[in-house]
Amino acid sequence: VLEIKEACTVNGLDQECFVESVVERGDISLCESAGEAILEACKELYVKEGDDPSECEKEVVSEGGFLGVGVYSIKSSAIETCYQKIALAKKDKNICELINLTSIRSGCYLELAGEVGDTSLCDQIGEEIDLSMGGLKSECYGKVAVKKRDITICDNMEIENQGYYRCYTEAAIGMNNPT
C-alpha cells in the first residue's frame, strides 16, 4: 500500500487513484488499507497546506441526498467505493453487501444488475434510497430490460418515471438489433 500511496499522492490527494490501484489487484482486503492510505495522505496534505489535519477524520452524518443515510468520511467513502468497483469487476453481488452506505450499496446493485442482467439485484435497492434518488429501482429495471432485450421487464417500472417509455423503446430496439 505504501507504493500506491507514493504513486497516488504525487499531484495531491487522488482518491480515485488509490481505489483503481486496489481494484487492479482485485483483493477486497486491500480496500481497508487504501482507506487508511487516503486518510494519511489527506492529513499530510492538510499539514503541508498549514491546515488542521483533524479535518480529514471528521465524519458527516448525512440524512439523504446523494450520500444516503449514514456516516460518511473520507476513509469510509474510499473503502466503500473500492468495494463497489471490485464487485463490478468480479460481477459479485456479495461484495455489494459489504457496503454500509446506502447510496453506494444501491449504486452497486444498480450497476451490477445492468452488467449481468439480473432483476433480483434491483429488488435489493432500499425503498428510502429509491425515493430520495428519483426512482433508482426503475432505472435499474430499465438497464436490465435493455441488457436482456426484454420489454416485459419494463413493466416493473413506475409509469411516472421519466425512463418508463424510454425503457420500452430501447429494449425494443435491442430486440430488433441483436448483436
Side-chain angles (χ1 to χ4, degrees):
V1 174
L2 184 59
E3 70 203 39
I4 295 172
K5 181 180 169 199
E6 289 170 358
C8 293
T9 55
V10 173
N11 295 315
L13 182 63
D14 186 351
Q15 178 175 328
E16 193 68 25
C17 178
F18 281 93
V19 172
E20 291 301 324
S21 296
V22 172
V23 171
E24 283 176 20
R25 290 166 172 77
D27 182 356
I28 63 170
S29 68
L30 292 175
C31 290
E32 185 74 34
S33 299
E36 280 295 329
I38 288 170
L39 181 60
E40 288 175 31
C42 178
K43 287 179 181 179
E44 288 172 15
L45 189 63
Y46 267 71
V47 168
K48 191 164 94 176
E49 298 287 324
D51 294 322
D52 181 6
S54 67
E55 290 293 314
C56 297
E57 295 185 38
K58 284 192 175 172
E59 294 183 335
V60 177
V61 177
S62 173
E63 296 180 6
F66 179 71
L67 295 177
V69 178
V71 177
Y72 167 83
S73 70
I74 191 169
K75 179 181 171 186
S76 65
S77 170
I79 292 168
E80 304 222 333
T81 300
C82 182
Y83 285 157
Q84 179 182 13
K85 290 187 179 252
I86 291 177
L88 295 173
K90 292 187 169 196
K91 296 181 177 21
D92 185 347
K93 72 175 183 158
N94 295 321
I95 299 174
C96 293
E97 294 167 9
L98 299 173
I99 300 170
N100 292 314
L101 198 57
T102 309
S103 62
I104 296 176
R105 184 177 56 247
S106 293
C108 186
Y109 289 130
L110 167 75
E111 295 303 320
L112 190 56
E115 287 278 320
V116 299
D118 182 356
T119 58
S120 71
L121 294 171
C122 301
D123 298 331
Q124 300 298 314
I125 296 171
E127 292 299 325
E128 71 283 353
I129 198 70
D130 183 44
L131 294 174
S132 73
M133 296 186 78
L136 212 54
K137 274 189 181 183
S138 288
E139 182 182 344
C140 185
Y141 289 124
K143 284 182 176 246
V144 175
V146 171
K147 170 77 175 177
K148 294 181 90 172
R149 297 182 176 101
D150 182 353
I151 59 172
T152 63
I153 295 171
C154 301
D155 294 338
N156 293 310
M157 297 176 71
E158 297 291 324
I159 294 175
E160 297 82 27
N161 184 285
Q162 64 185 12
Y164 179 75
Y165 296 105
R166 188 178 68 234
C167 177
Y168 282 99
T169 304
E170 290 179 5
I173 290 170
M175 290 168 62
N176 292 325
N177 294 313
T179 51

